[in-house]
Amino acid sequence: MSELLDAREAVVDIYCKQLKLPGLKASFRELARDAMEQNQTAVSFLAACLGKELEIRAQKRLNTRLRQSRIHEVKTLESFDFTSIPKLPKNKIISLADGKFIKDRENIICVGQSGTGKTHIASAIGVSAIQQGFKVRFIKVADLIQELLRAESEFRLPRYLKTWNKFDVVILDELGYINLGAGSPLLFQFCCERYERGSLIITTNLEFGRWGEVFGDNALTVALLDRITHHAHVIPFVGDSYRFKESRQKLEMTTD
């Protein structure tokens, strides 16, 4: 009897492989045991099998989108300590995670000093968007500038800019930490390409009045701000660096 059962399982394995049903192939044995123990009908067992296949496919799509997003660490709003930055508009941030700003082609700008959680919140909103089926891409501004300059020098800038059109949300991290130099007009062009076409999430340590310091061109800076703030949610991160406070607490624990 066991040999017959093994043979049937082998046939199911083969069929699952031919039909490209990896989820079902990995789980049908356990589902079959559950069905027998619970006296399920054949239809119930079939529904469970198909449901498991859909569940695993959805998880694989999610994992693929997360990998393609290049978000360095998968962050969530649940894992963020809002008590460390009490002035942060928690309810507004949670409401933004529903993805409506993406459908409306709006931007989010996180402004505040280093260590206050801007990248965490930006990444968490990005992860939430991915879970809802949106395509997201994370990149540090310094890295984007290098890619833009390289594309321009190789005479493929228009083609490079078009590759970003497939993303519903682009997260530009750490604007303001370096002078953009020759990359300023290219970043301006990049942001203009997305104006009312796709959403940006920008994290910056500089207030808007100081953006000219890194762009080096006041007219260009004003034009850029006019576009990206036109449909934008500005989130101020006011408070001490929670990373510094966390490090200080660890130090105090080791010295006690």
Side-chain angles (χ1 to χ4, degrees):
M1 183 65 179
S2 60
E3 292 180 359
L4 179 60
L5 185 60
D6 290 342
R8 288 176 177 173
E9 289 182 356
V11 170
V12 174
D13 274 330
I14 293 171
Y15 287 167
C16 286
K17 186 175 181 179
Q18 292 178 340
L19 292 170
K20 298 181 179 179
L21 300 172
L24 183 55
K25 183 176 184 294
S27 57
F28 79 87
R29 291 175 178 82
E30 182 181 353
L31 293 172
R33 286 195 295 270
D34 291 343
M36 287 187 291
E37 291 174 1
Q38 299 169 14
N39 293 319
Q40 294 179 9
T41 64
V43 173
S44 295
F45 171 59
L46 177 59
C49 288
L50 296 176
K52 178 60 71 173
E53 178 64 31
L54 288 174
E55 177 187 330
I56 292 177
R57 288 191 182 195
Q59 186 60 51
K60 286 184 67 175
R61 287 195 298 271
L62 175 61
N63 292 339
T64 298
R65 288 195 297 268
L66 283 170
R67 186 173 63 254
Q68 292 173 341
S69 75
R70 301 189 187 179
I71 293 177
H72 296 166
E73 294 183 59
V74 177
K75 302 286 189 178
T76 65
L77 294 181
E78 289 76 17
S79 65
F80 185 80
D81 181 12
F82 282 93
T83 61
S84 65
I85 311 291
K87 293 183 179 180
L88 202 59
K90 179 178 179 180
N91 291 336
K92 180 177 179 61
I93 290 171
I94 291 174
S95 68
L96 287 171
D98 67 5
K100 185 177 182 298
F101 80 97
I102 304 172
K103 298 173 184 176
D104 294 339
R105 306 291 196 276
E106 296 173 339
N107 302 322
I108 298 175
I109 307 175
C110 303
V111 186
Q113 70 180 61
S114 178
T116 50
K118 300 184 300 296
T119 299
H120 185 137
I121 292 298
S123 298
I125 294 175
V127 169
S128 178
I130 290 170
Q131 292 171 335
Q132 296 171 62
F134 294 107
K135 292 183 178 180
V136 178
R137 176 75 155 81
F138 177 102
I139 189 169
K140 291 186 180 298
V141 170
D143 294 333
L144 176 60
I145 292 298
Q146 291 302 313
E147 291 186 13
L148 287 166
L149 288 170
R150 189 180 306 115
E152 182 185 45
S153 68
E154 296 172 356
F155 305 102
R156 56 180 179 83
L157 182 61
R159 188 167 72 252
Y160 173 77
L161 290 172
K162 285 182 180 179
T163 64
W164 291 86
N165 292 340
K166 63 185 176 183
F167 298 108
D168 302 297
V169 184
V170 175
I171 302 174
L172 299 181
D173 192 39
E174 296 185 349
L175 173 65
Y177 288 87
I178 62 168
N179 190 295
L180 302 180
S184 292
L186 297 178
L187 183 59
F188 173 79
Q189 186 175 351
F190 178 90
C191 293
C192 287
E193 288 280 330
R194 295 197 62 80
Y195 180 59
E196 294 188 334
R197 295 181 185 176
S199 295
L200 289 170
I201 301 179
I202 300 174
T203 72
T204 178
N205 63 323
L206 297 180
E207 296 178 355
F208 295 141
R210 296 183 58 194
W211 280 29
E213 296 175 16
V214 293
F215 280 92
D217 185 321
N218 287 332
L220 183 148
T221 304
V222 170
L224 175 64
L225 285 170
D226 180 62
R227 284 168 173 78
I228 66 173
T229 61
H230 183 207
H231 305 294
H233 303 270
V234 180
I235 304 176
F237 285 69
V238 181
D240 298 327
S241 168
Y242 76 86
R243 284 203 299 261
F244 175 74
K245 288 189 291 185
E246 193 175 68
S247 299
R248 185 174 59 190
Q249 290 171 353
K250 291 180 179 177
L251 180 62
E252 290 174 350
M253 289 175 63
T254 58
T255 55
D256 284 344

